Amino acid sequence: MNPNVQWEKLHADYKKRIAQMAPDTAQIKYLAAKADTDLDGHAFVGGLVPGKYWVSTLGMDAPSGDRRLLWDVAVTVQAGQTCQLNLSNVNATDARALQP
């Protein structure tokens, strides 16, 4: 008997559970702010203390034409400064490329 089929199913189920839990864990433990874009793709987050942050779509892909994009981008907020981050397909990952 070859247990490969059962092993692959267990492994796929495990990966699916982790993928579902990761955004929840990130939001509970690490969420500093949440932003939604307007129709022009602009969002604003205020009141952050200076420090290093991570801008992420938390595994929820954003449709952009025929692509589904994900972002995980580091940003540093400095005291007294306005920080601007442009999310585009240049600093994104195609969600479909990550699927097996």
Side-chain angles (χ1 to χ4, degrees), residues 4-70:
N4 191 41
V5 173
Q6 290 176 329
W7 173 253
E8 290 297 325
K9 183 180 179 339
L10 286 172
H11 187 64
D13 291 346
Y14 173 77
K15 286 175 62 174
K16 185 178 179 182
R17 269 196 326 272
I18 294 299
Q20 290 170 341
M21 289 173 37
D24 293 338
T25 302
Q27 289 185 42
I28 291 168
K29 293 181 82 174
Y30 304 107
L31 184 66
K34 195 173 189 177
D36 291 318
T37 60
D38 61 16
L39 293 175
D40 294 321
H42 300 118
F44 174 79
V45 175
L48 293 176
V49 298
K52 294 183 179 189
Y53 294 90
W54 194 258
V55 177
S56 176
T57 51
L58 294 175
M60 295 171 270
D61 57 318
S64 175
D66 63 344
R67 296 179 69 196
R68 300 293 178 256
L69 303 177
L70 300 171

